[in-house]
Amino acid sequence: MSISVEANKGELAPEEQKRLKADLHRSLRRNKIRASMLVAPLVIFIIVTFVAPIGNMLYRSVDDPLVSDFMPQTTAALEGWDEQQLPDEAIYAALAQDIIEGRKAKTIGKAAKRLNYEKSGMRSLIMGTSRKHKKIQAPYKESLVDIKKGWGDLDNWKVIKRLGASVTASYYINAFDMETSPEGEVSFVDPKEQIYLKLFWRTIWMSMLITGMTVLLGYPVSYLLASLPMKTANVLMILVLLPFWTSLLVRTSSWIAMLQAQGILNDLLVWFGIIADEARIQMIYNAIGTVVAMTHILLPFMILPLYSVMKTVPPSYLRAARSLGATPWTAFWQVYLPQTVPGISAGAILVFILSIGYYITPALVGGQSGQFIGNLIAYHMQGSLNWGLAAALGVMLLVLVLGIYGVYNRVVGTNSVKLG
Amino acid sequence: MAVPSYAGPLERTWYYTFRFLCAAIFIFLIAPILVIVPLSFNAEPYFSFTQGMLTLDPDAYSLRWYEEFLTSDRWLESIKNSVIIAFFSTILSAALGTLAALGLNRSELPFKGVIMGLLISPMIVPLIIAAAGMFFFYSKLGIAQSYIGLILAHTALGTPFVVITVTATLSGFDHTLIKAGASLGATPTYTFFKVTMPLIMTGVISGALFAMMTSFDEVIVAIFIAGVEQRTIPLQMWSGIREQISPTILAVATILITFSIIMLSTVEILRRRSDRIRGIS
């Protein structure tokens, strides 16, 4: 359109030109608005139902209102405290008020529980004091220390002051296997006591193993499918697509049936006399179970992109290499493989991203040694109810996945995501 | 891919080894599905083949687990819930996803990359994170433990599939057809329903089927935000596998496998039809 305006320039009056330009702009803008209107409903929907919940979790991982909400007077009074020596009588009085009121409202337990995540013993200190609330009297300092010696401990006060701030890094400190000393210094815990970092490494390591397995198993199959005539390939493709379409839970439960001690694989091994009946191999409820089942579940995600890339490699290249004197191995290694690298990387990153966030399969067949970081997030969501820590771990996992996805986008591009 | 006539013995051996290897991998892919079907007819409450089953004794086979499935209130309730939730979330995903794909296909749309990334995100973000976030947020809104909450969540998870399949169908779409319709006096709405819709229908339906399967198979979000009233089939299976493992689960699994075969065939037929219309094959 702009070209025709340019071409007619000489014949049009200036005001005419201006009008045309304005018209063009208006029509372009209208098209832009129309296109945006089509996308808007879904964009809004995804933001409200999907992005906002995740953003809320992000907030929850640093939000820590329990202590400041349920011990308001103490936290307010502690603001001016210098942390050098035990607080003065006024602060003890505020604490006594908070405990007595919190006991009536049945909220003091929540603050106590939160404090206990940070320093064990805090819960019994507060709950013990609250149980003996009748003994609390002025002068409060003396009477509180009398009820529980812990109130004479400077460190306990520091913990209360630190958690009194409503924004906290403590969940992240926890999630990175670090601890805060009473002096407020952050350091890594003893490597033997590491939980989360260890689990992160294990998740990454096992995901890499699973990705490697899918490359190893997916490559030959994709090559076969790509080189067979279309008709045969389509029939064999069903063997790839059927598992792909089958419920995750169905596949996981059938791996239980296959791998358990009284399962089919062990039965076969015993029947063939390879192992003795009492020496059945433990193949499930451990890391092996997770790797086998997840390799099976994720294999189609490797085969499909690999296959579509291999389809585009002309078979004549291999023949040409051979006719020029290359051995089969050289022809494959120097000519074929380099051309399939985009497929390998697309499939590998896809499998890795999917694998790293897995929860269901490790939970059902992983036992102790086959757990992923997702399982721990679920545990803190439902078991220990330490939601802040669950949120912090979730955010760490999310950052990891989005980082890898960014790489994926660079390598493959979103537009080439295809299904089936 | 036959052995070329000039191949030496080494190459011949490799060729057959390779075939054997591929056969083994195909067996690995399909074995879990093949194993589950006969096991679901087991007369004993075990997850393994009994002596009688191996000797094909008819008494070793029975339909008792199917009977248990079809007479159990909990399972029937879960079927009802799954159907309700999948139905509404599929329709919602299909409608929202198709609209968005139509917009994404227009060259005038600003920030296309960002929008595409946002719309695809439910497919990328690990489900456990989405589920945890939804649990907090939906509880705050008061729609956790309700059908609406689950339907909205499943819709969000299903839309990327619709967006992707419809965008793919539209990539081969001839835009002069719309202009032709307009020049012949049709209103935009009329052109949409008479020209655009029939051409992208295959993409819409296969996207919708993907969305439906997603909802039908989704368990993580359900674990977090479904109440007792909203137990879906996967949720029931999940607790079944964790608590008392009974072959009823295998019967359900077999039914689900049959279901996925139907789905797979439908999607495949649609894909071929769409390729034919767009003149790809």
Side-chain angles (χ1 to χ4, degrees):
Chain A
M1 269 187 246
S2 62
I3 293 169
S4 66
V5 173
E6 290 290 317
N8 292 333
K9 210 172 187 176
E11 301 160 24
L12 286 173
E15 58 270 24
E16 193 74 344
Q17 273 184 42
K18 231 181 227 166
R19 198 179 58 79
L20 259 179
K21 253 188 193 158
D23 273 359
L24 176 66
H25 270 292
R26 198 174 317 130
S27 120
L28 279 179
R29 197 169 49 230
R30 204 180 305 132
N31 273 339
K32 211 182 224 179
I33 291 172
R34 208 173 282 158
S36 311
M37 292 280 278
L38 285 170
V39 182
L42 184 57
V43 169
I44 294 167
F45 183 84
I46 292 290
I47 288 176
V48 172
T49 59
F50 190 80
V51 178
I54 291 172
N56 182 246
M57 193 175 76
L58 211 89
Y59 170 70
R60 208 171 251 275
S61 68
V62 292
D63 177 41
D64 192 14
L66 281 180
V67 176
S68 58
D69 275 6
F70 297 130
M71 297 173 74
Q73 301 177 48
T74 319
T75 41
L78 276 174
E79 245 156 53
W81 179 50
D82 62 355
E83 301 193 31
Q84 296 307 312
Q85 50 202 357
L86 280 177
D88 53 29
E89 175 67 17
I91 298 178
Y92 275 97
L95 175 71
Q97 283 303 312
D98 275 338
I99 288 182
I100 291 167
E101 280 165 23
R103 185 190 157 77
K104 265 190 218 138
K106 297 201 167 74
T107 52
I108 194 70
K110 290 182 184 166
K113 192 175 165 200
R114 174 67 192 97
L115 286 165
N116 208 51
Y117 285 142
E118 200 64 20
K119 186 171 188 291
S120 51
M122 289 301 286
R123 191 187 154 79
S124 65
L125 175 65
I126 293 175
M127 295 320 278
T129 315
S130 130
R131 233 171 281 125
K132 294 184 184 160
H133 65 284
K134 280 191 188 126
K135 283 197 193 163
I136 300 176
Q137 60 201 356
Y140 292 107
K141 187 169 184 173
E142 213 167 286
S143 113
L144 279 168
V145 176
D146 214 34
I147 294 170
K148 278 277 180 186
K149 271 205 208 81
W151 294 122
D153 188 345
L154 202 60
D155 289 352
N156 291 339
W157 283 101
K158 284 181 184 169
V159 170
I160 296 178
K161 176 166 172 148
R162 198 167 63 234
L163 290 189
S166 59
V167 172
T168 175
S170 73
Y171 295 124
Y172 283 99
I173 291 171
N174 227 325
F176 276 106
D177 278 319
M178 295 191 280
E179 58 189 359
T180 319
S181 64
E183 286 74 43
E185 275 168 43
V186 176
S187 59
F188 282 100
V189 299
D190 187 21
K192 277 185 211 125
E193 287 170 22
Q194 269 189 15
I195 307 169
Y196 306 111
L197 286 185
K198 219 156 115 193
L199 204 56
F200 261 107
W201 285 124
R202 190 211 278 166
T203 307
I204 292 172
W205 185 84
M206 276 176 72
S207 298
M208 280 162 90
L209 182 67
I210 290 161
T211 311
M213 297 279 286
T214 56
V215 176
L216 224 56
L217 297 180
Y219 201 88
V221 166
S222 318
Y223 177 71
L224 184 76
L225 286 173
S227 54
L228 283 174
M230 204 57 184
K231 272 230 158 74
T232 335
N234 274 339
V235 173
L236 283 177
M237 203 56 173
I238 295 175
L239 298 181
V240 178
L241 290 177
L242 187 57
F244 182 69
W245 273 91
T246 305
S247 157
L248 175 76
L249 282 164
V250 169
R251 284 183 279 169
T252 307
S253 45
S254 81
W255 278 110
I256 298 177
M258 303 255 284
L259 297 177
Q260 64 182 338
Q262 301 300 322
I264 291 143
L265 213 60
N266 265 316
D267 280 353
L268 277 178
L269 288 175
V270 171
W271 194 66
F272 280 119
I274 298 171
I275 53 169
D277 197 13
E278 55 282 350
R280 285 170 180 264
I281 308 167
Q282 181 67 36
M283 287 181 285
I284 205 158
Y285 307 123
N286 55 24
I288 302 174
T290 305
V291 172
V292 172
M294 283 182 62
T295 303
H296 175 257
I297 289 164
L298 295 171
L299 190 50
F301 290 98
M302 176 58 88
I303 293 177
L304 293 175
L306 255 183
Y307 170 73
S308 65
V309 169
M310 284 179 177
K311 267 314 249 190
T312 63
V313 179
S316 54
Y317 285 14
L318 264 185
R319 284 203 293 272
R322 292 299 304 282
S323 77
L324 291 170
T327 61
W329 173 250
T330 321
F332 167 75
W333 189 254
Q334 303 263 344
V335 177
Y336 193 76
L337 185 72
Q339 296 184 75
T340 57
V341 165
I344 301 178
S345 45
I349 294 178
L350 187 64
V351 169
F352 190 76
I353 287 182
L354 289 172
S355 155
I356 210 166
Y358 248 57
Y359 162 57
I360 295 294
T361 308
L364 290 176
V365 302
Q368 268 295 320
S369 60
Q371 297 291 301
F372 277 26
I373 196 72
N375 299 78
L376 214 65
I377 297 176
Y379 166 73
H380 283 305
M381 287 291 296
Q382 302 190 300
S384 77
L385 299 183
N386 190 348
W387 290 346
L389 182 55
L393 288 170
V395 171
M396 282 162 72
L397 179 60
L398 185 65
V399 168
L400 193 64
V401 167
L402 290 184
I404 302 166
Y405 179 66
V407 176
Y408 177 84
N409 234 343
R410 279 272 167 82
V411 177
V412 201
T414 340
N415 291 330
S416 59
V417 182
K418 283 222 177 71
L419 299 162
Chain B
M1 193 180 77
V3 205
S5 50
Y6 53 80
L10 196 71
E11 225 170 308
R12 252 164 226 281
T13 325
W14 167 243
Y15 173 80
Y16 288 110
T17 324
F18 179 75
R19 285 282 165 118
F20 177 77
L21 216 85
C22 288
I25 298 168
F26 278 121
I27 292 174
F28 171 72
L29 270 167
I30 207 75
I33 294 168
L34 289 186
V35 155
I36 246 180
V37 178
L39 273 185
S40 68
F41 296 101
N42 197 345
E44 304 296 326
Y46 303 129
F47 252 40
S48 57
F49 289 98
T50 55
Q51 202 63 42
M53 291 184 91
L54 293 175
T55 53
L56 293 179
D57 179 3
D59 288 343
Y61 291 89
S62 85
L63 289 172
R64 65 184 274 208
W65 306 114
Y66 288 87
E67 190 193 333
E68 192 158 314
F69 169 59
L70 290 170
T71 52
S72 145
D73 286 343
R74 291 184 89 179
W75 280 107
L76 289 179
E77 184 79 2
S78 72
I79 298 177
K80 192 195 86 189
N81 286 334
S82 272
V83 169
I84 292 175
I85 292 161
F87 178 78
F88 286 108
S89 63
T90 306
I91 288 182
L92 264 175
S93 328
L96 290 169
T98 307
L99 274 186
L102 286 169
L104 279 167
N105 190 48
R106 295 200 172 195
S107 52
E108 302 93 0
L109 186 75
F111 311 114
K112 202 174 259 181
V114 179
I115 292 177
M116 192 64 180
L118 179 77
L119 298 186
I120 297 291
S121 65
M123 231 165 80
I124 309 299
V125 174
L127 275 174
I128 181 77
I129 297 176
M134 285 171 174
F135 170 76
F136 294 134
F137 194 68
Y138 287 14
S139 309
K140 223 191 253 173
L141 297 182
I143 53 171
Q145 312 206 337
S146 74
Y147 284 104
I148 294 177
L150 262 183
I151 289 170
L152 291 182
H154 282 184
T155 306
L157 297 180
T159 47
F161 297 100
V162 182
V163 171
I164 288 172
T165 52
V166 180
T167 314
T169 327
L170 279 170
S171 71
F173 186 76
D174 185 356
H175 284 273
T176 49
L177 289 175
I178 294 181
K179 287 189 187 134
S183 78
L184 291 171
T187 61
T189 340
Y190 191 79
T191 327
F192 176 74
F193 282 107
K194 285 288 172 187
V195 180
T196 317
M197 206 53 185
L199 282 171
I200 62 167
M201 206 53 201
T202 49
V204 176
I205 294 178
S206 47
L209 288 179
F210 271 106
M212 186 168 110
M213 275 315 263
T214 309
S215 165
F216 225 77
D217 191 24
E218 201 290 321
V219 57
I220 303 181
V221 173
I223 289 173
F224 281 91
I225 65 175
V228 192
E229 303 273 289
Q230 289 89 34
R231 290 179 80 89
T232 57
I233 299 175
L235 195 52
Q236 183 69 23
M237 281 185 81
W238 158 259
S239 53
I241 299 173
R242 289 191 8 139
E243 287 151 23
Q244 15 89 343
I245 199 154
S246 102
T248 317
I249 288 166
L250 300 187
V252 183
T254 307
I255 294 169
L256 287 180
I257 289 171
T258 321
F259 193 61
S260 23
I261 292 175
I262 296 170
M263 286 284 165
L264 170 60
S265 331
T266 320
V267 170
E268 197 54 24
I269 291 166
L270 285 173
R271 197 180 58 83
R272 295 216 179 134
R273 195 183 102 99
S274 138
D275 283 359
R276 212 172 45 240
I277 291 176
R278 290 155 59 200
I280 288 175
S281 67

